[in-house]
Amino acid sequence: MPKRKTIPDPIDEDSGLSSAPDNVDEGPAVLAESGPAISPPPAKKRKTTVKSKVVKKEIIDGDAIGQEAPVGATPKGRRAAKNVKAEVVKSEIEEETVEGAADASEPPKVKKRSTKKAAIIFETKADEDGEAKPKVVRKRKTKEEKEAEAMPLAARTIGHRLFIGAHISSAGGVQNAPVNSVHIGANAFALFLKSQRKWVNPPLVDEVASSFHEHCKSHSYDQTKHVVPHGSYLVNLAHTDADRTTQAYDAFLDDLQRCERLGIKLYNFHPGVANSTNGDRAKAIAHLASNINRAHAATSTVVTLLENMAAGGNVLGSTFEDLHDTIALVDKKDRVGICLDTCHAFAAGWDLRTPEAFKATMDTFDAKVGMKYLKAMHINDSKAPFNSRRDLHANVGTGFLGLRAFHNIVNEPRFEGLPLILETPIEVKDADGNNIKDDKGKDKEDKQIWATEIKLLESMVGMDLESEEFLRLESELARKGEPERKRLQEQIDRKGEKEAKKKVKAEGKGRKGKKESSGSELSE
């Protein structure tokens, strides 16, 4: 049960916040002030069935008195009522009346309240046994706290030739995404249009869509060019099972229709996996393309972007050939494109670290897929080594790609005007790369990391690779990522050694079996 917090008594305007003790009773017992606990006076009890009752427990001159108020009733402390959010439940509970009450039907007699007390407001909710359990209602943020959180972490660089942003939160509705993007100083952004963990989601309401349009306009975001929603990880358009196909297609089409209502033209998604075709890539790609064609026919403007993938095996999009073969089967070529992920490309064996390697990779992409299809990029470093087939994003300059790879990217003229989206982690690390913990012992997160990375990438346009500034940045970032790089390298090395031993053992068995077979033939 989470630690309870006390809030000021609604009657006492001058009382401050007081912390609840750690040893809170799990039942409807009362939190007491510092000092020995005082037992409540004996009370008459009667049972009744109640609907949606809000229980408020208070400390009154050292006595614990339970006061119950049905939902809809107007309590004396109106400020308390605003903090209570009751649920409609049916449960059988014991009502308590103060000893000496004339009749159980009469309201309990309450002693005069003291101005020195703490109050906690609970919300009743029935458990599996039908018993009413109290739940603490959290204190709301003040106006000042909300304003402080809304202050931009960095100013946007208006007019920059690169449109750099991050995959930001759309919690509370997609209309909040443009504001969240402004908060980190971004000129582009990605988002989820709905929960990517569920198949069924509430529809997009007109008010939310209108608000999204208004926020994009007021903050100068062109959602036809620089907003790139990410598709659900649940969707596999390459799955050939009829029921799975319907489920995936319906979710995919719903996203495209949301895009059109929001004025968004680019939509990024993962191509899928060829497991249902037993590894037959051609069959899986044909099924994927047919679903894309169906969705294009049902919509009119959205350009669907296939994302290149890191893993090999049956994962589609892990080779440039997969992307080419899929596009070849799409009927409307003007409505299909590629979102190139730098971490995925590196992990799949496409090097970007030196100017020569970067040029060779992009030339190969142009030859096999076509630069005209590149519509967006995901800008991520890699925790895992080159050609590892591991999809592990790292902060810019801290991974195996290194800062020079991103210098190549931001100085590539063909990437100007494209949305360049960070999908990097925002866990806070110290100078040696160790995670910093928050007050609750969890890894501390800070969106300032995205704001800093955006400004870093923008600043590297035209920067001299041998300048003191670049060398300092390169060294500092490499040091921060060293623990993770070392850990992953050791992991990859152990796996390689294990696979090598298996291979030698299998070859030995093969030679032994061949020798025995040859000896048997000679004896015959």
Side-chain angles (χ1 to χ4, degrees):
M1 187 172 183
K3 186 176 178 180
R4 297 177 182 174
K5 296 181 181 179
T6 60
I7 66 170
D9 188 324
I11 304 303
D12 180 15
E13 295 291 342
D14 299 324
S15 61
L17 296 179
S18 58
S19 300
D22 293 330
N23 55 340
V24 179
D25 188 5
E26 293 295 329
V30 183
L31 294 178
E33 295 181 5
S34 58
I38 300 176
S39 301
K44 295 181 180 180
K45 298 183 179 180
R46 62 188 179 88
K47 289 191 174 182
T48 182
T49 301
V50 299
K51 286 186 180 180
S52 184
K53 291 218 171 186
V54 179
V55 179
K56 184 173 66 179
K57 297 289 185 182
E58 300 182 273
I59 305 302
I60 301 177
D61 290 335
D63 293 336
I65 297 180
Q67 180 180 346
E68 297 175 354
V71 171
T74 304
K76 293 181 180 179
R78 292 185 179 272
R79 294 195 298 119
K82 294 180 181 178
N83 290 329
V84 176
K85 193 174 182 181
E87 291 185 17
V88 177
V89 295
K90 275 190 176 183
S91 59
E92 188 176 55
I93 65 173
E94 290 186 354
E95 289 184 337
E96 293 187 358
T97 58
V98 178
E99 186 177 20
D103 186 83
S105 62
E106 296 178 1
K109 297 179 181 178
V110 181
K111 295 181 180 180
K112 186 178 180 181
R113 297 180 178 178
S114 167
T115 57
K116 295 181 180 180
K117 59 183 179 289
I120 298 177
I121 299 177
F122 294 92
E123 172 183 327
T124 58
K125 187 174 182 179
D127 63 9
E128 294 178 357
D129 299 325
E131 296 181 1
K133 296 273 184 176
K135 179 182 176 182
V136 175
V137 178
R138 298 184 181 276
K139 175 181 173 288
R140 295 184 179 181
K141 292 180 181 178
T142 65
K143 181 182 178 182
E144 291 74 16
E145 288 173 333
K146 290 180 179 179
E147 288 176 349
E149 288 183 356
M151 286 291 290
L153 300 172
R156 292 172 66 191
T157 310
I158 303 299
H160 200 283
R161 64 191 187 189
L162 296 179
F163 290 83
I164 304 172
H167 187 129
I168 45 83
S169 171
S170 56
V174 295
Q175 76 279 6
N176 295 325
V179 178
N180 292 337
S181 183
V182 171
H183 185 59
I184 59 170
N187 285 328
F189 64 89
L191 73 158
F192 289 121
L193 298 175
K194 58 192 180 189
S195 172
Q196 49 88 21
R197 300 180 185 277
K198 299 190 299 183
W199 286 107
V200 180
N201 286 274
L204 176 65
V205 297
D206 292 339
E207 291 79 4
V208 170
S210 298
S211 181
F212 180 84
H213 280 277
E214 290 169 3
H215 286 163
C216 282
K217 184 178 180 180
S218 63
H219 294 297
S220 301
Y221 285 112
D222 185 348
Q223 64 259 53
T224 66
K225 296 179 180 178
H226 305 131
V227 178
V228 193
H230 198 299
S232 170
Y233 298 127
L234 299 175
V235 171
N236 178 11
L237 293 179
H239 205 297
T240 54
D241 176 79
D243 291 338
R244 296 278 187 91
T245 295
T246 299
Q247 189 179 46
Y249 174 78
D250 288 347
F252 182 72
L253 179 61
D254 178 61
D255 263 3
L256 299 193
Q257 291 170 337
R258 289 172 188 248
C259 282
E260 295 201 329
R261 288 184 62 193
L262 297 171
I264 296 172
K265 196 170 182 180
L266 302 175
Y267 176 81
N268 158 235
F269 70 104
H270 293 179
V273 185
N275 288 342
S276 65
T277 61
N278 296 318
D280 187 338
R281 300 182 86 81
K283 185 176 180 181
I285 287 172
H287 192 71
L288 164 64
S290 69
N291 281 322
I292 294 173
N293 287 330
R294 287 171 59 199
H296 285 174
T299 53
S300 58
T301 59
V302 186
V303 178
T304 49
L305 307 183
L306 300 158
E307 183 174 344
N308 65 305
M309 304 304 292
N314 292 334
V315 178
L316 301 181
S318 53
T319 68
F320 290 163
E321 287 80 7
D322 285 349
L323 302 176
H324 167 271
D325 293 347
T326 305
I327 291 174
L329 296 176
V330 174
D331 296 333
K332 297 180 179 179
K333 298 291 191 289
D334 60 333
R335 292 190 58 195
V336 66
I338 303 297
C339 177
L340 187 65
D341 188 302
T342 57
C343 171
H344 296 179
F346 182 72
W350 298 103
D351 203 352
L352 304 166
R353 291 172 289 188
T354 66
E356 296 76 20
F358 176 78
K359 183 179 183 304
T361 292
M362 297 316 301
D363 287 347
T364 304
F365 177 85
D366 190 22
K368 293 189 174 182
V369 183
M371 283 298 298
K372 67 179 181 180
Y373 289 111
L374 183 61
K375 305 295 184 183
M377 294 183 70
H378 288 165
I379 308 299
N380 306 302
D381 209 325
S382 174
K383 291 181 182 179
F386 177 67
N387 203 24
S388 62
R389 299 290 175 177
R390 300 286 300 278
D391 179 11
L392 296 169
H393 296 189
N395 291 103
V396 171
T398 66
F400 280 93
L401 268 166
L403 195 59
R404 291 176 185 255
F406 297 95
H407 183 275
N408 294 330
I409 291 167
V410 298
N411 286 284
E412 170 55 61
R414 290 176 291 184
F415 298 163
E416 293 179 13
L418 300 181
L420 309 178
I421 306 297
L422 291 163
E423 293 179 324
T424 50
I426 55 173
E427 286 83 14
V428 181
K429 298 179 182 293
D430 62 22
D432 296 319
N434 303 306
N435 284 6
I436 296 175
K437 305 294 183 180
D438 60 18
D439 296 337
K440 297 180 180 179
K442 297 180 179 180
D443 289 343
K444 188 176 180 180
E445 293 187 347
D446 188 0
K447 295 183 180 67
Q448 180 66 56
I449 293 172
W450 284 333
T452 302
E453 287 185 323
I454 290 169
K455 296 309 164 192
L456 169 64
L457 292 168
E458 291 177 347
S459 72
M460 286 198 298
V461 176
M463 184 182 289
D464 183 359
L465 284 173
E466 302 307 319
S467 67
E468 183 178 340
E469 181 183 9
F470 182 85
L471 294 176
R472 176 184 60 80
L473 289 168
E474 183 180 37
S475 175
E476 289 176 358
L477 292 169
R479 181 184 171 189
K480 269 195 171 184
E482 187 175 0
E484 274 297 282
R485 293 198 309 274
K486 183 179 179 181
R487 183 180 71 82
L488 265 297
Q489 185 65 67
E490 291 174 349
Q491 193 179 96
I492 296 293
D493 290 344
R494 286 195 300 270
K495 183 179 179 181
E497 290 171 3
K498 190 175 180 181
E499 289 177 349
K501 288 179 181 178
K502 283 183 178 180
K503 186 177 180 181
V504 170
K505 190 175 181 180
E507 289 176 350
K509 286 183 178 180
R511 285 194 296 269
K512 184 179 179 181
K514 187 175 182 180
K515 185 176 180 181
E516 289 176 352
S517 176
S518 177
S520 176
E521 289 174 0
L522 288 172
S523 64
E524 289 176 0

